[in-house]
Amino acid sequence: MTTTHPDSARTSLREWATGVTVFAAIMLMLGGILDIMRGIAEIAEDDVFVSTRNYVFAFDLTAWGWIHLTLGVIAFAVSFGLFMGSTWARVLGVIIAGLVIIAHFLSLPYFPLWSIIMITVSGFIIWALCAMRKDDAFVPFESPRSM
């Protein structure tokens, strides 16, 4: 019969929570970079995007570019806070990912496949940042415990 040490379950849960948070931070960073590129392409009025007639949420392509560029820059900046394990970055990460979902849903007719991918990725980011409890969060420069 084997017995498990109470701290071993806690350590594995902490490692899982840390891994999911780091993955969410990387995805938020990559999503931010890609939104920055999409925003620049929309501001430059590139011919990549198709305009849809009679769309209720029709904005000028330049306006969508500034929206995506702003969200991308903020998402990129918040991802660095997530790497440090800060609570403010988790809260802002959820808010930014939610705004990214809304922005990509509203710009769905302009670039449908990419919008669906970003909605899915942002949904995962929200889940990952909300699934971890504060007690399970990693501290980046945590001193080892003496046992």
Short mmCIF file of all heavy atoms in Angstrom, two decimals, residues 50-97:
data_model
loop_
_atom_site.label_atom_id
_atom_site.label_comp_id
_atom_site.label_asym_id
_atom_site.label_seq_id
_atom_site.Cartn_x
_atom_site.Cartn_y
_atom_site.Cartn_z
N VAL A 50 -12.97 41.57 -47.04
CA VAL A 50 -14.13 41.72 -47.91
C VAL A 50 -15.16 42.56 -47.18
O VAL A 50 -15.41 42.36 -45.99
CB VAL A 50 -14.73 40.33 -48.23
CG1 VAL A 50 -15.96 40.46 -49.11
CG2 VAL A 50 -13.70 39.44 -48.88
N SER A 51 -15.75 43.49 -47.86
CA SER A 51 -16.81 44.28 -47.23
C SER A 51 -18.16 43.63 -47.51
O SER A 51 -18.41 43.09 -48.57
CB SER A 51 -16.78 45.71 -47.72
OG SER A 51 -17.01 45.73 -49.11
N THR A 52 -19.02 43.69 -46.53
CA THR A 52 -20.34 43.08 -46.61
C THR A 52 -21.38 44.19 -46.65
O THR A 52 -21.35 45.11 -45.84
CB THR A 52 -20.58 42.18 -45.39
OG1 THR A 52 -19.54 41.22 -45.33
CG2 THR A 52 -21.90 41.47 -45.48
N ARG A 53 -22.30 44.07 -47.55
CA ARG A 53 -23.36 45.07 -47.65
C ARG A 53 -24.44 44.80 -46.62
O ARG A 53 -24.68 43.66 -46.24
CB ARG A 53 -23.99 45.04 -49.04
CG ARG A 53 -23.14 45.66 -50.09
CD ARG A 53 -23.95 45.94 -51.31
NE ARG A 53 -23.36 45.23 -52.42
CZ ARG A 53 -23.96 44.98 -53.55
NH1 ARG A 53 -25.20 45.35 -53.72
NH2 ARG A 53 -23.34 44.36 -54.51
N ASN A 54 -25.09 45.86 -46.19
CA ASN A 54 -26.23 45.79 -45.27
C ASN A 54 -25.90 45.05 -43.97
O ASN A 54 -26.72 44.31 -43.45
CB ASN A 54 -27.44 45.13 -45.96
CG ASN A 54 -27.86 45.90 -47.19
OD1 ASN A 54 -27.78 47.13 -47.23
ND2 ASN A 54 -28.29 45.18 -48.22
N TYR A 55 -24.71 45.22 -43.46
CA TYR A 55 -24.34 44.60 -42.19
C TYR A 55 -24.66 45.59 -41.07
O TYR A 55 -24.33 46.77 -41.14
CB TYR A 55 -22.84 44.25 -42.21
CG TYR A 55 -22.36 43.56 -40.97
CD1 TYR A 55 -23.00 42.43 -40.48
CD2 TYR A 55 -21.27 44.05 -40.26
CE1 TYR A 55 -22.56 41.80 -39.35
CE2 TYR A 55 -20.82 43.41 -39.12
CZ TYR A 55 -21.47 42.29 -38.66
OH TYR A 55 -21.04 41.66 -37.54
N VAL A 56 -25.35 45.10 -40.05
CA VAL A 56 -25.82 45.97 -38.98
C VAL A 56 -24.67 46.68 -38.27
O VAL A 56 -24.74 47.85 -37.95
CB VAL A 56 -26.65 45.15 -37.96
CG1 VAL A 56 -27.07 45.99 -36.79
CG2 VAL A 56 -27.86 44.54 -38.63
N PHE A 57 -23.58 45.96 -38.04
CA PHE A 57 -22.44 46.53 -37.32
C PHE A 57 -21.34 47.00 -38.26
O PHE A 57 -20.16 46.87 -37.96
CB PHE A 57 -21.88 45.49 -36.34
CG PHE A 57 -22.89 45.03 -35.35
CD1 PHE A 57 -23.41 43.75 -35.42
CD2 PHE A 57 -23.34 45.87 -34.34
CE1 PHE A 57 -24.35 43.32 -34.52
CE2 PHE A 57 -24.28 45.44 -33.43
CZ PHE A 57 -24.78 44.16 -33.51
N ALA A 58 -21.73 47.51 -39.40
CA ALA A 58 -20.75 47.93 -40.40
C ALA A 58 -20.05 49.20 -39.93
O ALA A 58 -20.67 50.23 -39.72
CB ALA A 58 -21.45 48.16 -41.73
N PHE A 59 -18.75 49.08 -39.73
CA PHE A 59 -17.89 50.22 -39.47
C PHE A 59 -16.97 50.37 -40.66
O PHE A 59 -16.81 49.47 -41.46
CB PHE A 59 -17.02 50.01 -38.21
CG PHE A 59 -17.79 50.03 -36.92
CD1 PHE A 59 -17.53 49.08 -35.97
CD2 PHE A 59 -18.74 51.00 -36.65
CE1 PHE A 59 -18.21 49.08 -34.76
CE2 PHE A 59 -19.42 51.02 -35.45
CZ PHE A 59 -19.15 50.05 -34.51
N ASP A 60 -16.34 51.50 -40.72
CA ASP A 60 -15.30 51.71 -41.70
C ASP A 60 -14.17 50.74 -41.38
O ASP A 60 -13.89 50.43 -40.22
CB ASP A 60 -14.83 53.16 -41.63
CG ASP A 60 -13.77 53.47 -42.65
OD1 ASP A 60 -13.77 52.86 -43.73
OD2 ASP A 60 -12.92 54.34 -42.35
N LEU A 61 -13.50 50.24 -42.41
CA LEU A 61 -12.41 49.28 -42.21
C LEU A 61 -11.30 49.89 -41.35
O LEU A 61 -10.68 49.20 -40.54
CB LEU A 61 -11.86 48.83 -43.56
CG LEU A 61 -10.94 47.62 -43.55
CD1 LEU A 61 -11.64 46.41 -42.93
CD2 LEU A 61 -10.48 47.29 -44.96
N THR A 62 -11.08 51.18 -41.47
CA THR A 62 -10.08 51.84 -40.65
C THR A 62 -10.49 51.83 -39.18
O THR A 62 -9.65 51.65 -38.29
CB THR A 62 -9.86 53.28 -41.13
OG1 THR A 62 -9.53 53.26 -42.52
CG2 THR A 62 -8.76 53.96 -40.36
N ALA A 63 -11.77 52.00 -38.90
CA ALA A 63 -12.25 51.95 -37.51
C ALA A 63 -12.02 50.56 -36.92
O ALA A 63 -11.58 50.43 -35.77
CB ALA A 63 -13.73 52.31 -37.45
N TRP A 64 -12.31 49.51 -37.69
CA TRP A 64 -12.03 48.14 -37.21
C TRP A 64 -10.53 47.96 -36.98
O TRP A 64 -10.12 47.29 -36.05
CB TRP A 64 -12.53 47.10 -38.20
CG TRP A 64 -13.99 46.84 -38.08
CD1 TRP A 64 -14.94 47.06 -39.04
CD2 TRP A 64 -14.68 46.34 -36.95
NE1 TRP A 64 -16.17 46.73 -38.57
CE2 TRP A 64 -16.05 46.27 -37.28
CE3 TRP A 64 -14.29 45.95 -35.67
CZ2 TRP A 64 -17.02 45.82 -36.38
CZ3 TRP A 64 -15.26 45.50 -34.79
CH2 TRP A 64 -16.60 45.44 -35.15
N GLY A 65 -9.73 48.57 -37.82
CA GLY A 65 -8.28 48.47 -37.66
C GLY A 65 -7.81 49.06 -36.34
O GLY A 65 -7.00 48.47 -35.64
N TRP A 66 -8.35 50.22 -35.99
CA TRP A 66 -7.96 50.85 -34.73
C TRP A 66 -8.46 50.05 -33.53
O TRP A 66 -7.79 49.96 -32.50
CB TRP A 66 -8.46 52.29 -34.67
CG TRP A 66 -7.61 53.19 -35.50
CD1 TRP A 66 -7.96 53.79 -36.68
CD2 TRP A 66 -6.25 53.57 -35.24
NE1 TRP A 66 -6.90 54.51 -37.17
CE2 TRP A 66 -5.84 54.40 -36.29
CE3 TRP A 66 -5.35 53.29 -34.22
CZ2 TRP A 66 -4.57 54.96 -36.37
CZ3 TRP A 66 -4.08 53.84 -34.28
CH2 TRP A 66 -3.70 54.66 -35.34
N ILE A 67 -9.65 49.46 -33.65
CA ILE A 67 -10.18 48.62 -32.57
C ILE A 67 -9.28 47.41 -32.35
O ILE A 67 -8.87 47.11 -31.22
CB ILE A 67 -11.64 48.19 -32.88
CG1 ILE A 67 -12.57 49.39 -32.79
CG2 ILE A 67 -12.09 47.07 -31.94
CD1 ILE A 67 -13.97 49.14 -33.32
N HIS A 68 -8.94 46.71 -33.43
CA HIS A 68 -8.10 45.52 -33.31
C HIS A 68 -6.68 45.86 -32.87
O HIS A 68 -6.06 45.13 -32.09
CB HIS A 68 -8.09 44.73 -34.62
CG HIS A 68 -9.37 44.01 -34.86
ND1 HIS A 68 -9.75 42.90 -34.15
CD2 HIS A 68 -10.37 44.24 -35.75
CE1 HIS A 68 -10.93 42.48 -34.57
NE2 HIS A 68 -11.33 43.28 -35.55
N LEU A 69 -6.16 46.99 -33.37
CA LEU A 69 -4.82 47.41 -32.98
C LEU A 69 -4.76 47.73 -31.48
O LEU A 69 -3.84 47.30 -30.77
CB LEU A 69 -4.39 48.62 -33.79
CG LEU A 69 -2.98 49.15 -33.53
CD1 LEU A 69 -1.93 48.11 -33.95
CD2 LEU A 69 -2.76 50.45 -34.27
N THR A 70 -5.75 48.45 -30.98
CA THR A 70 -5.79 48.79 -29.56
C THR A 70 -5.92 47.55 -28.69
O THR A 70 -5.19 47.39 -27.70
CB THR A 70 -6.96 49.76 -29.28
OG1 THR A 70 -6.83 50.90 -30.12
CG2 THR A 70 -7.00 50.17 -27.83
N LEU A 71 -6.84 46.66 -29.04
CA LEU A 71 -7.00 45.42 -28.26
C LEU A 71 -5.74 44.58 -28.31
O LEU A 71 -5.36 43.95 -27.31
CB LEU A 71 -8.20 44.62 -28.79
CG LEU A 71 -9.57 45.19 -28.44
CD1 LEU A 71 -10.66 44.37 -29.14
CD2 LEU A 71 -9.80 45.21 -26.95
N GLY A 72 -5.07 44.55 -29.45
CA GLY A 72 -3.85 43.77 -29.59
C GLY A 72 -2.72 44.29 -28.72
O GLY A 72 -2.01 43.52 -28.07
N VAL A 73 -2.57 45.61 -28.69
CA VAL A 73 -1.52 46.21 -27.86
C VAL A 73 -1.78 45.95 -26.38
O VAL A 73 -0.88 45.58 -25.62
CB VAL A 73 -1.39 47.73 -28.16
CG1 VAL A 73 -0.53 48.42 -27.12
CG2 VAL A 73 -0.84 47.94 -29.55
N ILE A 74 -3.03 46.11 -25.95
CA ILE A 74 -3.37 45.88 -24.54
C ILE A 74 -3.19 44.40 -24.19
O ILE A 74 -2.64 44.07 -23.13
CB ILE A 74 -4.80 46.36 -24.24
CG1 ILE A 74 -4.88 47.88 -24.40
CG2 ILE A 74 -5.22 45.95 -22.83
CD1 ILE A 74 -6.29 48.43 -24.33
N ALA A 75 -3.64 43.50 -25.08
CA ALA A 75 -3.48 42.06 -24.82
C ALA A 75 -2.01 41.68 -24.72
O ALA A 75 -1.62 40.89 -23.85
CB ALA A 75 -4.16 41.26 -25.92
N PHE A 76 -1.19 42.24 -25.58
CA PHE A 76 0.25 41.96 -25.54
C PHE A 76 0.85 42.43 -24.22
O PHE A 76 1.64 41.73 -23.60
CB PHE A 76 0.93 42.63 -26.73
CG PHE A 76 2.39 42.33 -26.84
CD1 PHE A 76 2.82 41.11 -27.34
CD2 PHE A 76 3.34 43.26 -26.45
CE1 PHE A 76 4.17 40.82 -27.44
CE2 PHE A 76 4.69 42.98 -26.55
CZ PHE A 76 5.11 41.75 -27.05
N ALA A 77 0.46 43.62 -23.77
CA ALA A 77 1.00 44.16 -22.51
C ALA A 77 0.53 43.35 -21.31
O ALA A 77 1.31 43.07 -20.39
CB ALA A 77 0.59 45.62 -22.37
N VAL A 78 -0.74 42.96 -21.30
CA VAL A 78 -1.28 42.20 -20.17
C VAL A 78 -0.64 40.82 -20.07
O VAL A 78 -0.47 40.28 -18.97
CB VAL A 78 -2.83 42.09 -20.29
CG1 VAL A 78 -3.41 41.08 -19.34
CG2 VAL A 78 -3.45 43.46 -20.06
N SER A 79 -0.24 40.25 -21.19
CA SER A 79 0.37 38.91 -21.15
C SER A 79 1.65 38.89 -20.33
O SER A 79 1.96 37.89 -19.70
CB SER A 79 0.63 38.40 -22.56
OG SER A 79 1.63 39.16 -23.20
N PHE A 80 2.38 40.00 -20.29
CA PHE A 80 3.59 40.06 -19.46
C PHE A 80 3.24 40.00 -17.98
O PHE A 80 3.96 39.40 -17.19
CB PHE A 80 4.42 41.31 -19.78
CG PHE A 80 5.14 41.20 -21.08
CD1 PHE A 80 4.70 41.90 -22.19
CD2 PHE A 80 6.24 40.38 -21.21
CE1 PHE A 80 5.35 41.79 -23.40
CE2 PHE A 80 6.91 40.27 -22.42
CZ PHE A 80 6.46 40.97 -23.51
N GLY A 81 2.13 40.62 -17.60
CA GLY A 81 1.67 40.52 -16.21
C GLY A 81 1.26 39.11 -15.85
O GLY A 81 1.44 38.66 -14.71
N LEU A 82 0.70 38.38 -16.82
CA LEU A 82 0.33 36.99 -16.57
C LEU A 82 1.56 36.12 -16.34
O LEU A 82 1.51 35.18 -15.54
CB LEU A 82 -0.49 36.43 -17.74
CG LEU A 82 -1.91 36.97 -17.87
CD1 LEU A 82 -2.55 36.46 -19.15
CD2 LEU A 82 -2.73 36.58 -16.67
N PHE A 83 2.65 36.42 -17.03
CA PHE A 83 3.88 35.66 -16.80
C PHE A 83 4.39 35.85 -15.38
O PHE A 83 5.06 34.99 -14.83
CB PHE A 83 4.96 36.06 -17.81
CG PHE A 83 4.74 35.50 -19.18
CD1 PHE A 83 4.64 36.34 -20.27
CD2 PHE A 83 4.63 34.13 -19.38
CE1 PHE A 83 4.44 35.84 -21.54
CE2 PHE A 83 4.42 33.62 -20.64
CZ PHE A 83 4.32 34.47 -21.72
N MET A 84 4.09 36.99 -14.79
CA MET A 84 4.52 37.27 -13.42
C MET A 84 3.54 36.73 -12.39
O MET A 84 3.81 36.76 -11.20
CB MET A 84 4.71 38.77 -13.21
CG MET A 84 5.78 39.38 -14.11
SD MET A 84 7.37 38.57 -13.99
CE MET A 84 7.83 39.01 -12.35
N GLY A 85 2.40 36.24 -12.84
CA GLY A 85 1.42 35.64 -11.94
C GLY A 85 0.60 36.65 -11.15
O GLY A 85 0.06 36.32 -10.10
N SER A 86 0.45 37.85 -11.65
CA SER A 86 -0.27 38.88 -10.91
C SER A 86 -1.78 38.77 -11.11
O SER A 86 -2.26 38.40 -12.18
CB SER A 86 0.22 40.27 -11.30
OG SER A 86 0.02 40.49 -12.66
N THR A 87 -2.50 39.12 -10.06
CA THR A 87 -3.96 39.03 -10.09
C THR A 87 -4.56 40.06 -11.03
O THR A 87 -5.53 39.78 -11.73
CB THR A 87 -4.53 39.20 -8.67
OG1 THR A 87 -3.93 38.22 -7.82
CG2 THR A 87 -6.03 39.02 -8.64
N TRP A 88 -4.00 41.27 -11.05
CA TRP A 88 -4.55 42.31 -11.93
C TRP A 88 -4.47 41.88 -13.39
O TRP A 88 -5.35 42.20 -14.18
CB TRP A 88 -3.82 43.64 -11.73
CG TRP A 88 -2.39 43.64 -12.13
CD1 TRP A 88 -1.32 43.41 -11.32
CD2 TRP A 88 -1.85 43.85 -13.45
NE1 TRP A 88 -0.15 43.47 -12.05
CE2 TRP A 88 -0.45 43.73 -13.36
CE3 TRP A 88 -2.41 44.11 -14.69
CZ2 TRP A 88 0.39 43.87 -14.45
CZ3 TRP A 88 -1.58 44.25 -15.78
CH2 TRP A 88 -0.20 44.14 -15.66
N ALA A 89 -3.41 41.13 -13.74
CA ALA A 89 -3.27 40.68 -15.13
C ALA A 89 -4.31 39.61 -15.45
O ALA A 89 -4.80 39.56 -16.58
CB ALA A 89 -1.86 40.15 -15.36
N ARG A 90 -4.64 38.76 -14.48
CA ARG A 90 -5.69 37.76 -14.71
C ARG A 90 -7.02 38.43 -14.97
O ARG A 90 -7.75 38.06 -15.89
CB ARG A 90 -5.79 36.81 -13.53
CG ARG A 90 -4.65 35.82 -13.47
CD ARG A 90 -4.74 34.89 -12.30
NE ARG A 90 -6.02 34.20 -12.26
CZ ARG A 90 -6.55 33.72 -11.14
NH1 ARG A 90 -5.93 33.86 -9.99
NH2 ARG A 90 -7.70 33.09 -11.18
N VAL A 91 -7.35 39.44 -14.17
CA VAL A 91 -8.62 40.16 -14.34
C VAL A 91 -8.64 40.88 -15.68
O VAL A 91 -9.60 40.76 -16.45
CB VAL A 91 -8.84 41.15 -13.16
CG1 VAL A 91 -10.05 42.04 -13.42
CG2 VAL A 91 -9.01 40.39 -11.85
N LEU A 92 -7.58 41.63 -15.98
CA LEU A 92 -7.52 42.33 -17.26
C LEU A 92 -7.47 41.36 -18.44
O LEU A 92 -8.02 41.65 -19.50
CB LEU A 92 -6.31 43.26 -17.32
CG LEU A 92 -6.48 44.61 -16.64
CD1 LEU A 92 -5.20 45.42 -16.72
CD2 LEU A 92 -7.62 45.38 -17.25
N GLY A 93 -6.82 40.20 -18.25
CA GLY A 93 -6.77 39.19 -19.30
C GLY A 93 -8.16 38.68 -19.66
O GLY A 93 -8.49 38.50 -20.84
N VAL A 94 -8.98 38.44 -18.64
CA VAL A 94 -10.36 38.00 -18.89
C VAL A 94 -11.15 39.10 -19.60
O VAL A 94 -11.89 38.84 -20.55
CB VAL A 94 -11.04 37.58 -17.57
CG1 VAL A 94 -12.53 37.35 -17.76
CG2 VAL A 94 -10.39 36.33 -17.00
N ILE A 95 -10.98 40.33 -19.15
CA ILE A 95 -11.71 41.45 -19.76
C ILE A 95 -11.28 41.64 -21.22
O ILE A 95 -12.12 41.78 -22.12
CB ILE A 95 -11.49 42.75 -18.95
CG1 ILE A 95 -12.18 42.62 -17.59
CG2 ILE A 95 -12.00 43.97 -19.70
CD1 ILE A 95 -11.83 43.72 -16.61
N ILE A 96 -9.97 41.63 -21.46
CA ILE A 96 -9.47 41.83 -22.83
C ILE A 96 -9.91 40.68 -23.73
O ILE A 96 -10.32 40.89 -24.87
CB ILE A 96 -7.94 41.97 -22.83
CG1 ILE A 96 -7.55 43.28 -22.17
CG2 ILE A 96 -7.35 41.90 -24.23
CD1 ILE A 96 -8.12 44.52 -22.84
N ALA A 97 -9.82 39.44 -23.22
CA ALA A 97 -10.25 38.29 -24.03
C ALA A 97 -11.75 38.39 -24.35
O ALA A 97 -12.18 38.06 -25.46
CB ALA A 97 -9.93 36.99 -23.32
#
